[in-house]
Amino acid sequence: MTQQPLDGAEMAILINRFEGIARKMTNTLYRTGRSGVLNRARDFSCCIVTSDCDLLATADSLPIHVLVGPNLMAGAMKQFHPALKRGDAFLHNSPYHGNSHAADHTILVPVIDDDGVHRFTVLTKAHQADCGNALPTTYMGAAVDVYAEGALIFPAVKVQQDYKDIDDIVRMCELRIRVPGQWKGDFLAMVGSARIGEREVLGLGREVGWDKLAAFARQWFDFSEERMASRIRDVPKGRATACSTHDPIPGTPSEGVRIFAVVESHPEEGRITVDLRDNIDALPCGLNLTEACCRTAALIGIFNSISGDIPRNAGSFRRIEIKLRKNSVAGIPSHPTSCSVSTTNVADRLTHAVSLAMAQLGDGYGMAECGGCLPPSSSVISGVDPRTGERFVNQLFLGSTAGPGTPFGDCWLTYLHIGNGGMCFIDSVELDELYQPIWVAERRLMPDTEGAGRNRGAPSLFVEFGPVGCSVELGYVSDGSVNAARGARGGGIAGAAGHRKRHLDGALETLSNCGQVTLAEGETIQSICCGGGGYGPPTERATSRVLHDVAEGWISRQRAREVYGVVIDDSMRVDEAATQRLRAEVTATGNVTTSNGGFERSSS
């Protein structure tokens, strides 16, 4: 019997039901995760894919985790385990079989109906503070290959059968990972989250009927595709090429890693093509992208650039063609290429290249560059806590601003990085000092470091912290001290990143962009995260908004004059006549100065 099309009310109800299930999974993981990465920073994602491995629902998830990857991982699960049964669960973190990077452990649970038919797959992905790497960090920027990383790789390995743990796999992780109790707690939280999703989808299928849910998925994908096509029809036709450059670290060219994107808009067809094939081969370091992160980063660039309330799922993705080549730094990696830092650094640069190319197509499209990520304020910290005598490993989220200016408004201040979409939380200073033996000396925004523009980017953030009663080791892979975030369509560059170590005698040592740093008691590390680039010429910013920025302390009166062309008198009023003259002069000469903030620039 042919399934009748669902009406609008049924469609709205069912997508909200599926997204509600994803949120229940998310809430379970957030409330039961053991590590600070999960229960404080919220660095995880939950989603649902169809039995055909099409992405369906991703509510409250990090974009870099879920846009592409869940489909590939679900496909690997089906390939390696063709006879799926209820009660199965699989652990997946293989960068060569659809995962984002080895540090993102993913639990996949196939939803099997009462007749034994595979209907959907639920996925819970959680970043690990320690995944068994050779060094106590999950960001191995200098790893020459996956062997140098050292992480255990699980390509859709069964970890539960008949709802019971397969203890052999659990013991392998407990033996390899430095803080096994923390990992085991997160593992149980992930399994619990996925089982909540399984239970809820089974209940929905029994309530509504599996045939109706299958018909809904098909119709939802078609609806989403048409929404995407309709939005692309408004994008100016054209072809644009842009490049974004990651700072050099060990294993990269001396000029850094240049990522090129060629974007073609075909509004008459309702399609966009992103060609990433003209990028260098994979490098002997951890910055290489997985296929999942490469495709996802390109999608993020497109969705951020065109606006519109478009569902992010397999249907809307049909309208975007992404061209990759094998063994490229931004392509499809082969074993044993290291992709340890795949979710952040070069992935962000790929998104920037796509966004900057879109900005060339016309005003109102694209966006500025987001600030580089993973400065020491986002480092993985490890050591032995003198209060308990126990070893600890955790990633800090002490702050990163980085938000770019867009065609529609100013930055999202606490964006962190472009791939997380502002979804991760910033750590409370008090909680970080409670959970790790550290003290935070200072955390503050830095005036006059924003990417100036019609719509401005975020200012830089300064953080200084150090250990208490012990030594600690910090691992980070910073970007943006050499190549700060650039603006789009005449917007300005933002404040650069910086990182220094303060020794016991007060001397300051400039640190490299990528490193493992040991701090003794009494020493501190100073971290500056990048600001975000601006969108549109600064002299087009409304004078009232510039005055507000000065009043709020975002920028100085001097910067308002020199960069925005706005003259503010001693009584904090805009001198409109002087401003008009100055802006006319700036427009005629193009002589607008910008500042770049940060410490003295460091190389690898």
Side-chain angles (χ1 to χ4, degrees):
M1 177 174 156
T2 303
Q3 177 72 45
Q4 293 296 317
L6 283 70
D7 61 33
E10 290 177 303
M11 292 287 290
I13 289 169
L14 286 176
I15 188 53
N16 277 281
R17 291 288 295 273
F18 274 110
E19 290 184 348
I21 292 170
R23 289 190 175 95
K24 286 184 178 181
M25 296 168 66
T26 294
N27 190 53
T28 300
L29 189 54
Y30 183 53
R31 292 181 178 275
T32 60
R34 182 75 58 85
S35 69
V37 176
L38 304 190
N39 64 32
R40 296 195 295 280
R42 202 182 175 282
D43 190 354
F44 61 80
S45 300
C46 302
C47 64
I48 303 168
V49 302
T50 67
S51 59
D52 293 329
C53 308
D54 290 324
L55 182 67
L56 181 64
T58 64
D60 294 342
S61 293
L62 278 59
I64 196 65
H65 276 173
V66 295
L67 295 190
V68 177
N71 58 327
L72 301 175
M73 289 188 287
M77 177 190 71
K78 292 179 65 175
Q79 176 187 351
F80 300 146
H81 306 277
L84 297 170
K85 297 181 179 179
R86 186 181 294 179
D88 288 346
F90 302 89
L91 174 60
H92 195 313
N93 75 332
S94 172
Y96 315 109
H97 300 89
N99 195 34
S100 40
H101 66 152
D104 285 336
H105 282 196
T106 305
I107 295 294
L108 297 92
V109 168
V111 179
I112 310 296
D113 71 14
D114 295 334
D115 296 322
V117 178
H118 178 209
R119 296 292 186 173
F120 295 91
T121 300
V122 295
L123 298 91
T124 294
K125 175 181 287 192
H127 184 77
Q128 305 297 304
D130 181 16
C131 60
N133 278 342
L135 297 174
T137 177
T138 50
Y139 298 109
M140 294 277 288
V144 296
D145 56 28
V146 73
Y147 302 115
E149 284 182 52
L152 288 166
I153 303 296
F154 297 98
V157 172
K158 186 183 289 188
V159 290
Q160 279 195 338
Q161 186 170 328
D162 296 328
Y163 294 100
K164 296 180 181 178
D165 289 348
I166 297 175
D167 291 331
D168 291 346
I169 305 301
V170 174
R171 283 194 297 270
M172 289 174 64
C173 291
E174 290 179 314
L175 189 61
R176 178 68 180 176
I177 292 172
R178 292 171 177 82
V179 189
Q182 177 176 280
W183 172 83
K184 181 66 176 297
D186 285 352
F187 169 77
L188 294 175
M190 293 168 64
V191 171
S193 168
R195 290 301 182 194
I196 288 288
E198 176 195 32
R199 184 190 70 186
E200 295 296 316
V201 174
L202 282 171
L204 181 60
R206 290 165 181 154
E207 174 189 343
V208 174
W210 295 109
D211 288 344
K212 175 169 278 193
L213 291 185
F216 158 74
R218 291 192 296 270
Q219 196 169 328
W220 179 242
F221 291 147
D222 290 344
F223 168 82
S224 302
E225 181 180 9
E226 179 50 40
R227 288 289 296 274
M228 186 66 168
S230 177
R231 184 68 186 96
I232 294 174
R233 291 186 188 106
D234 294 333
V235 176
K237 180 180 177 62
R239 181 179 189 272
T241 300
C243 173
S244 185
T245 304
H246 188 285
D247 289 356
I249 69 167
T252 71
S254 59
E255 68 273 16
V257 185
R258 304 183 71 193
I259 298 298
F260 292 89
V262 181
V263 176
E264 292 187 68
S265 169
H266 305 279
E268 70 284 356
E269 301 174 12
R271 297 186 181 278
I272 289 177
T273 298
V274 181
D275 192 340
L276 302 171
R277 292 175 295 181
D278 188 21
N279 282 298
I280 61 174
D281 288 344
L283 297 167
C285 68
L287 295 182
N288 303 288
L289 299 188
T290 58
E291 180 179 359
C293 287
C294 195
R295 294 187 182 280
T296 295
L299 287 172
I300 293 171
I302 295 297
F303 277 104
N304 284 354
S305 295
I306 63 175
S307 74
D309 185 16
I310 304 166
R312 274 64 164 166
N313 61 39
S316 56
F317 299 166
R318 295 171 187 164
R319 291 287 167 165
I320 304 173
E321 180 185 4
I322 302 169
K323 298 180 180 180
L324 308 179
R325 70 177 180 88
K326 292 183 178 180
N327 198 39
S328 166
V329 69
I332 303 173
S334 57
H335 187 276
T337 299
S338 174
C339 304
S340 181
V341 198
S342 177
T343 56
T344 50
N345 298 44
V346 168
D348 287 10
R349 291 296 181 175
L350 194 162
T351 300
H352 298 160
V354 172
S355 298
L356 292 173
M358 289 293 297
Q360 294 178 36
L361 297 179
D363 203 344
Y365 298 92
M367 60 194 300
E369 287 190 324
C370 184
C373 61
L374 294 185
S377 59
S378 297
S379 60
V380 177
I381 185 171
S382 61
V384 176
D385 193 329
R387 300 167 297 183
T388 63
E390 295 181 354
R391 192 169 194 175
F392 65 91
V393 181
N394 191 50
Q395 185 176 359
L396 300 175
F397 286 76
L398 273 170
S400 188
T401 48
T406 76
F408 312 104
D410 290 342
C411 66
W412 184 335
L413 179 63
T414 56
Y415 205 51
L416 184 64
H417 81 102
I418 199 79
N420 110 113
M423 292 297 295
C424 285
F425 295 159
I426 291 177
D427 290 350
S428 155
V429 167
E430 292 79 8
L431 287 180
D432 269 355
E433 292 178 335
L434 177 66
Y435 283 102
Q436 287 91 207
I438 64 172
W439 70 289
V440 179
E442 191 174 7
R443 180 167 68 177
R444 60 178 170 82
L445 296 171
M446 303 176 66
D448 291 350
T449 57
E450 88 296 349
R454 181 197 314 148
N455 294 319
R456 61 168 171 76
S460 295
L461 180 76
F462 177 90
V463 180
E464 182 172 3
F465 64 97
V468 176
C470 64
S471 295
V472 298
E473 185 174 348
L474 304 172
Y476 64 91
V477 188
S478 184
D479 183 24
S481 62
V482 177
N483 298 286
R486 293 178 296 161
R489 300 199 67 82
I493 192 171
H499 9 75
R500 299 191 301 200
K501 178 178 178 179
R502 184 190 293 275
H503 292 272
L504 292 173
D505 61 2
L508 294 172
E509 173 193 357
T510 300
L511 300 172
S512 65
N513 294 332
C514 172
Q516 294 288 126
V517 178
T518 299
L519 295 180
E521 184 176 15
E523 296 180 325
T524 61
I525 195 165
Q526 297 180 342
S527 171
I528 291 181
C529 82
C530 282
Y535 191 97
T539 52
E540 293 182 4
R541 186 168 179 82
T543 57
S544 60
R545 297 174 73 191
V546 176
L547 178 63
H548 179 268
D549 291 344
V550 173
E552 290 295 313
W554 300 104
I555 64 173
S556 63
R557 287 169 59 193
Q558 180 181 355
R559 185 167 175 83
R561 181 187 185 96
E562 294 179 352
V563 176
Y564 293 90
V566 176
V567 181
I568 299 173
D569 62 25
D570 292 341
S571 61
M572 287 297 291
R573 295 178 180 176
V574 175
D575 185 330
E576 296 290 354
T579 294
Q580 289 181 13
R581 290 194 299 270
L582 180 59
R583 285 191 160 182
E585 177 186 337
V586 168
T587 300
T589 64
N591 185 27
V592 175
T593 60
T594 59
S595 64
N596 200 30
F599 302 129
E600 59 269 31
R601 293 179 173 184
S602 60
S603 67
S604 61

